[in-house]
Amino acid sequence: SSGINAEWPLRPGANDGSRDKLLGGSGAGYQTRETQDQVDQVMGIMRNNIDKVLERDSKIQNLNERSDALQVGANQFLQTGTQLKRKMWWKNVKFMIVIGVVAVIVLGVIIGVIVSQTKKKKDPQ
């Protein structure tokens, strides 16, 4: 073993001092290690941010799909409500016509009875 860590170029977190030896001293190695640690930290934050953005995008897509489904349901509800309103209006109109016809018949019968009673009183044969 030559004292140089063969993994350090591949593994950013290797911190056994081999970088210092390779760079020729502890001062330059410390700065390099500190800079590499900062880069690693920034990369970790960026990865975390990217993951959060992707997760948020997924949630937004899900919300959009649910919103579209809700809009379709609302349109169907409106259409069905309008049809039901028309149907009930016609039913009400038909009912009023039947009530009117029955009232006319009842009035006709009452008037007929009154007229026949009056004729009998005037014509006592």
Side-chain angles (χ1 to χ4, degrees):
S1 153
S2 63
I4 297 177
N5 185 356
E7 290 183 37
W8 78 267
L10 302 175
R11 194 174 55 125
N15 250 356
D16 62 357
S18 57
R19 289 183 188 169
D20 293 347
K21 292 177 189 173
L22 185 65
L23 294 173
S26 64
Y30 175 75
Q31 284 182 329
T32 303
R33 185 175 36 226
E34 186 177 321
T35 303
Q36 184 63 44
D37 288 346
Q38 289 175 350
V39 168
D40 291 344
Q41 185 180 9
V42 168
M43 286 178 60
I45 291 170
M46 291 303 294
R47 283 187 186 113
N48 189 21
N49 288 344
I50 289 171
D51 288 342
K52 287 180 181 178
V53 166
L54 292 175
E55 183 179 329
R56 192 179 98 218
D57 183 54
S58 173
K59 288 180 180 179
I60 288 173
Q61 286 177 348
N62 186 6
L63 185 60
N64 281 338
E65 289 170 3
R66 289 174 34 199
S67 174
D68 290 343
L70 187 60
Q71 183 64 40
V72 168
N75 287 340
Q76 287 176 345
F77 179 77
L78 181 63
Q79 194 174 31
T80 304
T82 303
Q83 289 172 351
L84 184 60
K85 183 179 175 182
R86 264 191 220 124
K87 183 179 177 181
M88 294 307 291
W89 184 82
W90 276 113
K91 190 174 183 178
N92 192 26
V93 167
K94 289 176 188 176
F95 182 72
M96 290 297 181
I97 290 172
V98 168
I99 294 277
V101 168
V102 168
V104 167
I105 291 172
V106 168
L107 278 174
V109 168
I110 291 173
I111 291 173
V113 168
I114 291 173
V115 168
S116 76
Q117 289 292 338
T118 325
K119 278 188 179 183
K120 284 184 184 179
K121 287 182 183 179
K122 286 185 179 182
D123 260 346
Q125 290 182 345

